[in-house]
Amino acid sequence: MSLRDLVPRALRGATAYHVPRPEGVRAKLDANESPWPLPADVAEALGRELATVELHRYPEADPAALRAFVAADLGVAPAQLVFGNGSDELIAMLCAAFGEPRQGATRARMLYPDPSFVYYAIAAKSHGLDAIEVPLDDDMQLDFELADDAMRGAAPNLAFFALPNNPTGTLWSPDEVAGLAVRHPDTLVIADEAYLAYGGRTLLPRLAGLPNLIVMRTLSKIGMAALRVGFLVAAPAIVDVLEKVRPPYNVGALNQRAALWILSHQRAWIDARCAEVVAERARLAAALATLPDVRVFPSEANLIMFRVGNGRDGRATRVWKALAARGVLVRRLDRPGPLAGCLRVTPGTPAENDLFLAELPAALAASAA
Ligand SMILES: Cc1ncc(COP(=O)(O)O)c(C=O)c1O
């Protein structure tokens, strides 16, 4: 018996979530962040606001002010909200709160399309849930009949659907996802709307009629990634269970205050930046589509996934390295399986995107040699 034996079997061969940070990055386009910092005068005003936070006290255990603001903004009851240290934490909390194996089963299950957000798999593994992965088709679309069959067969406790999806950018039908929630009332169906600001349509209006539907959001993708604030909207009965596993004081006082201040003072600025990203996404996608040996997947998120060559020759990884050497950091997805040959770029500022588009042809040429 060693300490290693204490680690759940599912975790032993797993790798940690790793984000490379090479030297000399001139355009950081790898993390689906907003490229825009707050304007200097706004940052100063925020600084003055944050100076009033009492750092020697614990934060409000229940982020009441933020909760009231978000509830009013979304037109839901405050009791329908749970806040997390990013939506990552909410995903983990869902596993912890709803991870009991069904009668007759030894383990609970979580279903999600594949490829999708990597933390679904990590959270399932680390909470002892078996992952049921529904493969996307070659266009990164979801076959809802396949998903329906998988849900019927596996009876997952939780089913996650990122609308739009990361890392593919594709948007699957929100109505079809709601349909799955209707047909599988004893599965919690989570509409992960992390990228809603960049495309798609919210399932929030369907919540009232679907007690097993959860809508999850984050501030990370709309300019506040550093704050680590996410929230979900669900029936109060679900919220009550989640509150039992929420770590005390999980959202820091500075984060609560900054989120509330930015959301209530800078909404127009946020919306304008998101619109700019959508326009830049179109420009980037159009430019990428003209390049030989590049296949662009249509995206409704602040990301564009593209495949280089046939995906089987390691060329995408060489392109990634060549871009990084030129100071342009994108996300390398390339690995055997459906993401073979794929890279993902997050639209940056127009200047950063110009740099990416200027450096990519040389990186492609170098990788072909
Ligand atoms: C689909 C999806 N959901 C949730 C998250 C987690 O976001 P955060 O923990 O920053 O709120 C991400 C992050 O990339 C994501 O892509």
Side-chain angles (χ1 to χ4, degrees), residues 86-88 91 117 120 162 166 192 194-195 218 220-221 228-230:
S87 41
D88 288 342
I91 296 166
F117 179 40
Y120 300 151
N166 173 29
D192 181 347
Y195 298 98
T218 176
S220 298
K221 311 300 173 185
R228 309 302 299 126
V229 175

Side-chain angles (χ1 to χ4, degrees), residues 74-264:
L74 299 180
V76 302
Q80 284 180 270
L81 289 169
V82 182
F83 285 85
N85 193 258
S87 41
D88 288 342
E89 189 180 49
L90 296 169
I91 296 166
M93 282 162 60
L94 282 161
C95 294
F98 294 96
E100 179 73 5
R102 290 187 191 268
Q103 220 172 10
T106 49
R107 285 163 69 88
R109 293 175 175 148
M110 177 207 283
L111 177 143
Y112 50 85
D114 177 55
S116 189
F117 179 40
V118 290
Y119 190 64
Y120 300 151
I122 296 172
K125 273 190 187 141
S126 56
H127 289 83
L129 280 79
D130 282 338
I132 309 295
E133 299 185 336
V134 182
L136 298 180
D137 69 15
D138 290 345
D139 297 327
M140 301 299 165
Q141 294 299 335
L142 177 60
D143 177 341
F144 277 94
E145 265 179 46
L146 202 63
D148 196 47
D149 287 348
M151 284 180 75
R152 197 167 305 110
N157 290 21
L158 303 163
F160 284 88
F161 298 93
L163 303 170
N165 188 41
N166 173 29
T168 62
T170 35
L171 174 67
W172 317 312
S173 160
D175 288 331
E176 295 276 7
V177 170
L180 291 175
V182 171
R183 286 193 295 286
H184 301 277
D186 62 351
T187 291
L188 281 177
V189 172
I190 298 101
D192 181 347
E193 298 183 350
Y195 298 98
L196 185 75
Y198 301 102
R201 188 166 43 78
T202 181
L203 279 178
L204 216 47
R206 301 295 302 271
L207 273 184
L210 288 170
N212 59 325
L213 181 68
I214 295 177
V215 170
M216 194 165 70
R217 301 265 183 94
T218 176
L219 304 186
S220 298
K221 311 300 173 185
I222 55 170
M224 289 169 268
L227 297 185
R228 309 302 299 126
V229 175
F231 55 88
L232 62 73
V233 196
I238 293 173
V239 170
D240 289 348
V241 184
L242 288 169
E243 283 296 321
K244 294 183 191 188
V245 299
R246 186 170 65 83
Y249 313 113
N250 61 328
V251 183
L254 292 168
N255 304 352
Q256 290 184 32
R257 188 73 74 81
L260 178 59
W261 191 90
I262 294 172
L263 286 175
S264 46

Side-chain angles (χ1 to χ4, degrees), residues 295-368:
R295 173 176 180 194
V296 184
F297 292 85
S299 172
E300 298 288 333
N302 64 336
L303 61 95
I304 299 172
M305 188 170 92
F306 58 100
R307 179 174 284 128
V308 180
N310 64 18
R312 291 185 298 276
D313 51 9
R315 192 170 164 206
T317 292
R318 293 199 294 280
V319 172
W320 179 83
K321 283 188 185 146
L323 279 174
R326 290 168 164 80
V328 178
L329 186 59
V330 300
R331 180 59 61 94
R332 177 163 66 100
L333 304 169
D334 185 26
R335 57 177 174 270
L339 294 176
C342 289
L343 300 175
R344 190 193 71 191
V345 60
T346 302
T349 62
E352 288 170 331
N353 298 333
D354 286 345
L355 183 67
F356 166 69
L357 291 176
E359 299 293 357
L360 184 59
L364 283 167
S367 73

